[in-house]
Amino acid sequence: MKILQLQLHVHEDKKKNMEQLARYMEEVRGENAGLIMVGEMFNCPYQTEYFPRYAEKEGGECWQMLSALARKHQVYLAAGSMPESDDAGNVYNTAYVFDRQGRQIAKHRKVHLFDVDIEGGQYFRESDTLTAGNGCTVFDTEFGRMGLCICFDLRFPELSLEMARRGAKLILVPAAFNMTTGPAHWELLFRARAADSQCFFAGTSAARDAGSGYTAWGHSILTSPWGEVIAQMEEKEGYQVSEIHLEDADKVRRELPLIQTASGNPVRQNGSVSVH
């Protein structure tokens, strides 16, 4: 399969962000990607005060446009994440995935909210305006089973391992690491989670904008089930296209049996192989 990762600038105007995505999807259609992916909060500045103002219910205007774009271009669209509101007034950091017919096939609400206070570095509290989700999200495609999580979720290996146990071979991670955490941990975490979970990991960021209220690291990345970097961008706006074979995850799991999966792949314990 071909995966195309769009690393876009995020503008204050929600409509401008949606129009930008539509324009890029038109421009890249010649790449014949099966899956197009964008970054975390791709239609909303990554600042807590914006989240409630930009939030829409599932099925809202932006959701409708994303569905239409997937259908128009006949691609799977992993639509980064955006603020979602519910009937109770909660706001979530939510990622949607649409199939080639524009049908929603996955939805993940960020489980681990980004509440950090790093001395001399980044301070941020998503929980000031966001509510945490509580799900482990996997979904099926014509290419195979995939998983979905958002940014800070990546730091908790149990979630990635559970997606792998449920059969995911590629895990999609819309993310927005910053100028403190990005240089320190971006590549390190994507390589580590890929090696731990024996999955492909696709991390897609916004482009870096030093004039914004939150400066993203950029460097959208794709790592292999062996923990290698397949492709990585720099900080600028643009895209990268990679061709991968999801059965490579099966090969790595046969050769190095580390985890039990729903399909019955073995887990190694105390020098022996057992299946539960």
Side-chain angles (χ1 to χ4, degrees):
M1 63 173 290
K2 274 189 179 181
I3 177 170
L4 189 149
Q5 295 169 268
L6 282 173
Q7 183 168 282
L8 305 177
H9 276 292
V10 178
H11 306 278
E12 285 199 24
D13 186 331
K14 185 197 294 188
K15 183 178 178 182
K16 186 174 182 179
N17 291 320
M18 299 303 295
E19 290 172 345
Q20 173 182 241
L21 174 59
R23 184 177 68 252
Y24 259 99
M25 288 187 67
E26 194 69 42
E27 290 176 2
V28 303
R29 64 188 307 166
E31 298 285 356
N32 297 315
L35 170 70
I36 293 178
M37 183 181 180
V38 293
E40 183 180 20
M41 293 294 184
F42 79 96
N43 72 343
C44 172
Y46 193 72
Q47 295 170 249
T48 55
E49 64 268 25
Y50 284 95
F51 299 153
R53 288 163 47 190
Y54 280 60
E56 298 180 7
K57 292 183 179 179
E58 180 180 328
E61 184 179 1
C62 288
W63 187 101
Q64 294 287 345
M65 184 175 180
L66 294 167
S67 172
L69 285 171
R71 183 169 59 252
K72 176 182 178 180
H73 295 285
Q74 292 289 291
V75 297
Y76 287 88
L77 177 57
S81 79
M82 59 186 188
E84 178 217 356
S85 57
D86 67 8
D87 291 334
N90 298 309
V91 179
Y92 301 91
N93 185 343
T94 299
Y96 299 105
V97 181
F98 301 88
D99 69 10
R100 294 183 190 271
Q101 288 74 47
R103 297 173 299 208
Q104 180 182 307
I105 57 172
K107 173 182 177 178
H108 179 77
R109 289 170 168 170
K110 190 174 188 177
V111 175
H112 303 94
L113 297 183
F114 185 55
D115 286 3
V116 300
D117 187 2
I118 300 170
E119 185 175 350
Q122 186 70 47
Y123 171 85
F124 205 89
R125 285 189 59 83
E126 278 190 322
S127 64
D128 285 346
T129 55
L130 293 180
T131 298
N134 61 3
C136 175
T137 307
V138 297
F139 59 98
D140 290 314
T141 73
E142 67 196 65
F143 307 108
R145 182 163 291 183
M146 301 181 189
L148 178 64
C149 65
I150 301 173
C151 201
F152 204 51
D153 287 338
L154 184 70
R155 289 189 178 270
F156 299 84
E158 296 87 354
L159 182 59
S160 295
L161 285 168
E162 184 58 28
M163 286 186 279
R165 292 187 184 107
R166 297 186 187 190
K169 298 178 185 178
L170 165 63
I171 295 178
L172 308 177
V173 191
F177 278 38
N178 54 66
M179 299 302 294
T180 301
T181 60
H185 299 146
W186 176 262
E187 182 179 319
L188 172 69
L189 282 171
F190 276 97
R191 293 187 66 188
R193 290 295 89 78
D196 291 343
S197 307
Q198 298 180 309
C199 293
F200 291 94
F201 272 74
T204 305
S205 171
R208 189 180 306 172
D209 180 357
S212 65
Y214 179 97
T215 306
W217 173 239
H219 290 265
S220 295
I221 192 170
L222 180 66
T223 52
S224 78
W226 196 249
E228 301 164 313
V229 176
I230 298 171
Q232 183 169 191
M233 299 179 69
E234 296 184 349
E235 77 283 3
K236 301 178 181 65
E237 182 176 318
Y239 68 92
Q240 68 181 12
V241 185
S242 308
E243 186 168 345
I244 60 175
H245 302 274
L246 294 192
E247 58 267 27
D248 288 350
D250 297 322
K251 179 176 182 293
V252 170
R253 292 171 185 183
R254 286 195 305 270
E255 294 174 344
L256 193 64
L258 301 179
I259 58 172
Q260 178 189 4
T261 70
S263 61
N265 286 347
V267 57
R268 185 174 296 277
Q269 297 181 338
N270 301 323
S272 63
V273 176
S274 58
V275 178
H276 306 285

